[in-house]
Amino acid sequence: RALFGSPGLYAPDGQVLSHIGRFAPWGIFLLLLGLFMVTRLFSLTFRRVRTVPPYLCGENSAQEPQLHFYAQRDESTKVVVGNYYLERAFGEEFLTFRANPVAIALLLLLIGVTIR
């Protein structure tokens, strides 16, 4: 299709027109996507990962660094993680019960909008 007196960018068969000639961009796009996926897979598979225990506001205990740390008076303290602040308002059960129907409704709305 001509635009402002110049030849169009796309040919009717989906190829791109340029001053050099015609070419199909999807082959190049898929080749680059495949190359990216393969390099990403190799980089995630073969990289060395150094695991470090979390910092627990004190020196990690040598016996179980994931579960104990030295706190006040150099006593080994067990790690306790919890939500003590407004558990009834921000707890997982409370939010999940209300958020799942809203999320399902939004997904159905999104599917309904895209089908039209």
Side-chain angles (χ1 to χ4, degrees), residues 14-47:
Q15 295 183 347
V16 175
L17 299 174
S18 70
H19 66 281
I20 299 171
R22 306 169 84 161
F23 68 95
W26 296 110
I28 296 170
F29 173 72
L30 291 175
L31 179 71
L32 289 175
L33 181 66
L35 183 66
F36 172 75
M37 298 289 281
V38 167
T39 55
R40 183 73 177 149
L41 177 71
F42 279 124
S43 70
L44 290 177
T45 304
F46 296 115
R47 72 178 178 172

Side-chain angles (χ1 to χ4, degrees), residues 23-109:
F23 68 95
W26 296 110
I28 296 170
F29 173 72
L30 291 175
L31 179 71
L32 289 175
L33 181 66
L35 183 66
F36 172 75
M37 298 289 281
V38 167
T39 55
R40 183 73 177 149
L41 177 71
F42 279 124
S43 70
L44 290 177
T45 304
F46 296 115
R47 72 178 178 172
R48 293 183 182 181
V49 177
R50 192 180 116 208
T51 305
V52 178
Y55 177 69
L56 301 170
C57 298
E59 182 183 358
N60 291 344
S61 175
Q63 61 202 19
E64 293 179 281
Q66 303 292 340
L67 301 175
H68 287 81
F69 70 100
Y70 294 114
Q72 296 90 3
R73 297 181 304 204
D74 282 338
E75 295 176 2
S76 181
T77 306
K78 185 173 177 160
V79 175
V80 178
V81 179
N83 178 10
Y84 300 112
Y85 181 71
L86 296 174
E87 181 68 31
R88 289 186 180 166
F90 298 114
E92 185 175 350
E93 292 176 15
F94 180 83
L95 291 177
T96 302
F97 180 72
R98 285 158 180 77
N100 282 345
V102 172
I104 291 170
L106 288 173
L107 285 173
L108 290 175
L109 180 67

